[in-house]
Amino acid sequence: MTIQNHPARRTRRTALWLAVTPLALTLAACSPAGQTASTGPVEKQGGTLTYLDAEASRSTQLQGAGTWQDSAYVENVTDRLIWKDPETGELAPYIAESWEVSEDGLTYEFTIRPGVTYSDGTPLDAASVQRNLQWQAEGDEAKGIQANNQFPAVESVTAEGDTVTVVLEHPYAEFLDVLSGWSASLVADATIEASLEEQQQITGLIGSGPFVVESETYGEEIVFAQREGYDWAPEGVGHEGEAYLDKVVVRAVTDDTVRIGTFRSGQADAIRYIQPSDETQLAEQGAQIISAQGLGATNQWVLKQQIPALQDVRVRQAIQNGIDRERIIEDLYTENWDVAQSIVTQDAFGFKDQSEKLQYDPDHANALLDEAGYTERDAEGYRVKDGQQLHLVTVIDVYDSTARPLYQLVQAQLKELGINLELRDADYSQVSAAYAAEDVAATRSGWPYPAPWATLRTSWDPEGTNGFALPSGDPALEELFEAQATETDAAAREEILGELQDHVIDEAYTVPLIKDSQIFAVQPTVHDFGFSAEARPLFYGAWTEEK
């Protein structure tokens, strides 16, 4: 089987300086592999990097971890069988030195790199990989640990010598991509054997990665320490051997003002989650502003057909054509953000540009609503049909710092069509229940992941999670998801994926809005702040001038 290549993912960096100096010009440049250019023979080894996240760690249990920040921490503590290059999308050796796939797409043979160990000293050998893959495929029902929902149905996993052989029940086109993702990270037996509660705590995560968890103050701080003797990084990360940094201190600072103020005062080296209005100011003060756009699903509103009004495709299409995405970017964001062109990013395999269908067309949207029978308006100017106002509810996304102004602008745009969009608040502890409420008409999703079609199938398949809340299923959608997953010919699969995108957009099951951008501010003394293909920060190659 041929490894699939993807167009390069862009990592944008903005560095505006109050005084233009040779040093400033050097820092403003971008080096290959999306990393900040070095500034000369500065000693890289040593020092501590303080990183402020907007959210606290909740659970790092691999099959169940669901937050962005938890997956980012996992990537720095563990390794994976396969490396997905964040710039090219190519799959490359990592813990698996090589692999072979049978012509029928059912049998995978992995040759495991010798000499790798977990941080507790146990070997990461073929037997360990065999146990990890079996655990991922089956979960651990007795402990309440689910199977990895991105994994295919596995017939057998065996280990002999330095070779691990996986036999699938059916071909699964994205299996190698799944194995490059954070949820397929390899962990020691001690982690697999631990209780669910212990696995949910990051201190219970024993990996083979470039950092180890030194300590955790739950909900407040995690300290990562350099893994001594680490020497098996994939070639694409830029250097070999141990991480440069001695430690990385991660602190959860949920208040935007406090987080930015701490960074401005020099008490933090890097922060995530910056409001667009702060990007230029921070850059003018000397910060590097980095926009990392990960491969995967775009940020979009999934329309729930549990709401009777949304069971009419014309209403869904009116919403799709009644939102002005270009205005959203112009009014609310910066050059570090882009409009979504489909349900997946351009660098995802099989991407098909849907921009023409997603064009803002209020005349067409109004005509569709008229056709759907919403021809009358009430005293507030909202459309009415059979005495019922066209009223929809959505929950403001707590996981996006830019969500409130975005939702408010969409609310205003839909009001021009006569649609009353109610915005509902929820905090982190309530968000799952809030999204699941029966009266919620739209939820926002978007998740960078190296196997986006596996993610979307898990979320949307009518026979699975049924994320669109289809009242009577959709045989065509089910058939397309199944066909693309089992197709072993890349060209044929690409064509199927194009049909799948056409179908989802034509049916207006979801409304792609913007591409997922993770915005970071990094001090000018920090260099080579890198990212995975999933736009998670990788501290392995980072170094700081201040020790």
Short mmCIF file of all heavy atoms in Angstrom, two decimals, residues 224-250:
data_model
loop_
_atom_site.label_atom_id
_atom_site.label_comp_id
_atom_site.label_asym_id
_atom_site.label_seq_id
_atom_site.Cartn_x
_atom_site.Cartn_y
_atom_site.Cartn_z
N PHE A 224 6.62 18.90 33.62
CA PHE A 224 7.24 17.89 32.79
C PHE A 224 8.76 18.04 32.89
O PHE A 224 9.28 19.16 32.82
CB PHE A 224 6.82 18.03 31.33
CG PHE A 224 5.35 17.85 31.08
CD1 PHE A 224 4.51 18.95 30.95
CD2 PHE A 224 4.80 16.59 30.99
CE1 PHE A 224 3.16 18.80 30.72
CE2 PHE A 224 3.44 16.42 30.77
CZ PHE A 224 2.61 17.52 30.64
N ALA A 225 9.46 16.92 33.04
CA ALA A 225 10.92 16.95 33.11
C ALA A 225 11.51 16.20 31.92
O ALA A 225 10.91 15.25 31.39
CB ALA A 225 11.40 16.31 34.42
N GLN A 226 12.69 16.64 31.50
CA GLN A 226 13.39 15.99 30.40
C GLN A 226 13.61 14.50 30.69
O GLN A 226 14.02 14.13 31.78
CB GLN A 226 14.74 16.67 30.20
CG GLN A 226 15.61 16.08 29.12
CD GLN A 226 17.07 16.51 29.29
OE1 GLN A 226 17.78 15.99 30.14
NE2 GLN A 226 17.49 17.48 28.48
N ARG A 227 13.31 13.65 29.72
CA ARG A 227 13.55 12.21 29.87
C ARG A 227 15.02 11.93 29.55
O ARG A 227 15.47 12.10 28.41
CB ARG A 227 12.64 11.43 28.90
CG ARG A 227 13.03 9.96 28.69
CD ARG A 227 12.65 9.08 29.82
NE ARG A 227 13.27 7.76 29.70
CZ ARG A 227 12.84 6.76 28.94
NH1 ARG A 227 11.75 6.90 28.20
NH2 ARG A 227 13.48 5.60 28.93
N GLU A 228 15.73 11.50 30.56
CA GLU A 228 17.15 11.20 30.36
C GLU A 228 17.31 9.97 29.47
O GLU A 228 16.63 8.98 29.63
CB GLU A 228 17.83 10.96 31.71
CG GLU A 228 17.90 12.19 32.59
CD GLU A 228 18.65 11.93 33.88
OE1 GLU A 228 19.20 10.82 34.03
OE2 GLU A 228 18.67 12.84 34.74
N GLY A 229 18.21 10.07 28.50
CA GLY A 229 18.50 8.95 27.61
C GLY A 229 17.59 8.82 26.43
O GLY A 229 17.75 7.90 25.62
N TYR A 230 16.65 9.74 26.26
CA TYR A 230 15.74 9.66 25.10
C TYR A 230 16.54 9.83 23.82
O TYR A 230 17.28 10.79 23.66
CB TYR A 230 14.67 10.74 25.20
CG TYR A 230 13.64 10.69 24.08
CD1 TYR A 230 12.57 9.81 24.15
CD2 TYR A 230 13.76 11.50 22.97
CE1 TYR A 230 11.63 9.75 23.13
CE2 TYR A 230 12.83 11.45 21.94
CZ TYR A 230 11.77 10.57 22.03
OH TYR A 230 10.84 10.50 21.00
N ASP A 231 16.35 8.88 22.87
CA ASP A 231 17.15 8.95 21.64
C ASP A 231 16.47 8.24 20.49
O ASP A 231 17.11 7.52 19.72
CB ASP A 231 18.53 8.33 21.89
CG ASP A 231 19.53 8.68 20.79
OD1 ASP A 231 19.33 9.70 20.10
OD2 ASP A 231 20.50 7.93 20.60
N TRP A 232 15.16 8.39 20.34
CA TRP A 232 14.44 7.69 19.25
C TRP A 232 13.35 8.57 18.64
O TRP A 232 12.32 8.09 18.21
CB TRP A 232 13.85 6.38 19.76
CG TRP A 232 13.24 6.46 21.15
CD1 TRP A 232 11.99 6.90 21.48
CD2 TRP A 232 13.87 6.10 22.37
NE1 TRP A 232 11.81 6.83 22.84
CE2 TRP A 232 12.95 6.33 23.42
CE3 TRP A 232 15.13 5.57 22.70
CZ2 TRP A 232 13.23 6.07 24.76
CZ3 TRP A 232 15.42 5.32 24.03
CH2 TRP A 232 14.48 5.56 25.06
N ALA A 233 13.62 9.86 18.56
CA ALA A 233 12.67 10.76 17.93
C ALA A 233 12.62 10.50 16.43
O ALA A 233 13.61 10.09 15.82
CB ALA A 233 13.06 12.21 18.18
N PRO A 234 11.48 10.72 15.79
CA PRO A 234 11.43 10.58 14.33
C PRO A 234 12.28 11.64 13.65
O PRO A 234 12.52 12.72 14.21
CB PRO A 234 9.94 10.77 14.01
CG PRO A 234 9.40 11.56 15.17
CD PRO A 234 10.19 11.12 16.36
N GLU A 235 12.75 11.35 12.45
CA GLU A 235 13.67 12.26 11.76
C GLU A 235 13.05 13.63 11.50
O GLU A 235 13.76 14.63 11.49
CB GLU A 235 14.11 11.63 10.44
CG GLU A 235 15.01 10.41 10.61
CD GLU A 235 15.50 9.88 9.28
OE1 GLU A 235 15.19 10.52 8.24
OE2 GLU A 235 16.18 8.85 9.27
N GLY A 236 11.76 13.70 11.31
CA GLY A 236 11.14 14.96 10.91
C GLY A 236 11.07 16.03 11.97
O GLY A 236 10.66 17.16 11.67
N VAL A 237 11.45 15.75 13.21
CA VAL A 237 11.31 16.76 14.26
C VAL A 237 12.51 17.69 14.36
O VAL A 237 12.47 18.66 15.12
CB VAL A 237 11.04 16.11 15.64
CG1 VAL A 237 9.75 15.34 15.63
CG2 VAL A 237 12.19 15.23 16.07
N GLY A 238 13.60 17.43 13.68
CA GLY A 238 14.67 18.42 13.59
C GLY A 238 15.92 18.16 14.38
O GLY A 238 16.94 18.78 14.12
N HIS A 239 15.90 17.29 15.38
CA HIS A 239 17.14 16.98 16.10
C HIS A 239 17.02 15.61 16.76
O HIS A 239 15.95 15.01 16.80
CB HIS A 239 17.48 18.07 17.11
CG HIS A 239 16.73 18.00 18.41
ND1 HIS A 239 17.21 17.34 19.50
CD2 HIS A 239 15.55 18.54 18.80
CE1 HIS A 239 16.37 17.46 20.51
NE2 HIS A 239 15.35 18.18 20.10
N GLU A 240 18.13 15.12 17.26
CA GLU A 240 18.18 13.81 17.89
C GLU A 240 18.51 13.95 19.37
O GLU A 240 18.92 15.01 19.83
CB GLU A 240 19.24 12.93 17.21
CG GLU A 240 18.97 12.69 15.73
CD GLU A 240 20.09 11.88 15.09
OE1 GLU A 240 21.14 11.68 15.74
OE2 GLU A 240 19.91 11.45 13.94
N GLY A 241 18.33 12.86 20.09
CA GLY A 241 18.71 12.84 21.49
C GLY A 241 17.66 13.42 22.40
O GLY A 241 16.49 13.49 22.07
N GLU A 242 18.12 13.83 23.58
CA GLU A 242 17.20 14.33 24.60
C GLU A 242 16.62 15.69 24.21
O GLU A 242 17.17 16.41 23.38
CB GLU A 242 17.95 14.45 25.93
CG GLU A 242 18.48 13.13 26.46
CD GLU A 242 19.36 13.29 27.68
OE1 GLU A 242 19.68 14.46 28.03
OE2 GLU A 242 19.73 12.27 28.30
N ALA A 243 15.49 16.03 24.84
CA ALA A 243 14.92 17.37 24.67
C ALA A 243 15.91 18.41 25.17
O ALA A 243 16.73 18.14 26.04
CB ALA A 243 13.60 17.46 25.44
N TYR A 244 15.85 19.60 24.62
CA TYR A 244 16.75 20.66 25.05
C TYR A 244 16.38 21.19 26.44
O TYR A 244 17.24 21.47 27.27
CB TYR A 244 16.74 21.81 24.06
CG TYR A 244 17.28 21.47 22.70
CD1 TYR A 244 16.58 21.79 21.54
CD2 TYR A 244 18.51 20.83 22.56
CE1 TYR A 244 17.09 21.48 20.29
CE2 TYR A 244 19.02 20.51 21.31
CZ TYR A 244 18.30 20.84 20.17
OH TYR A 244 18.80 20.54 18.93
N LEU A 245 15.08 21.36 26.68
CA LEU A 245 14.62 21.94 27.92
C LEU A 245 14.78 20.97 29.08
O LEU A 245 14.57 19.76 28.92
CB LEU A 245 13.15 22.35 27.80
CG LEU A 245 12.83 23.47 26.81
CD1 LEU A 245 11.34 23.51 26.53
CD2 LEU A 245 13.33 24.81 27.34
N ASP A 246 15.14 21.48 30.24
CA ASP A 246 15.17 20.67 31.45
C ASP A 246 13.75 20.38 31.93
O ASP A 246 13.43 19.26 32.33
CB ASP A 246 15.92 21.38 32.57
CG ASP A 246 17.42 21.49 32.30
OD1 ASP A 246 17.95 20.62 31.59
OD2 ASP A 246 18.03 22.45 32.79
N LYS A 247 12.91 21.42 31.87
CA LYS A 247 11.54 21.27 32.36
C LYS A 247 10.57 22.12 31.54
O LYS A 247 10.96 23.14 30.96
CB LYS A 247 11.43 21.67 33.84
CG LYS A 247 12.15 20.74 34.79
CD LYS A 247 11.90 21.13 36.24
CE LYS A 247 12.64 20.17 37.18
NZ LYS A 247 12.38 20.50 38.62
N VAL A 248 9.33 21.69 31.54
CA VAL A 248 8.22 22.50 31.03
C VAL A 248 7.18 22.56 32.14
O VAL A 248 6.71 21.52 32.62
CB VAL A 248 7.60 21.89 29.77
CG1 VAL A 248 6.40 22.72 29.32
CG2 VAL A 248 8.63 21.80 28.65
N VAL A 249 6.84 23.77 32.56
CA VAL A 249 5.83 23.96 33.60
C VAL A 249 4.56 24.46 32.92
O VAL A 249 4.56 25.53 32.29
CB VAL A 249 6.30 24.97 34.66
CG1 VAL A 249 5.20 25.20 35.69
CG2 VAL A 249 7.57 24.48 35.33
N VAL A 250 3.50 23.68 33.01
CA VAL A 250 2.22 24.03 32.40
C VAL A 250 1.27 24.47 33.50
O VAL A 250 1.04 23.73 34.47
CB VAL A 250 1.62 22.83 31.64
CG1 VAL A 250 0.25 23.19 31.09
CG2 VAL A 250 2.55 22.39 30.53
#
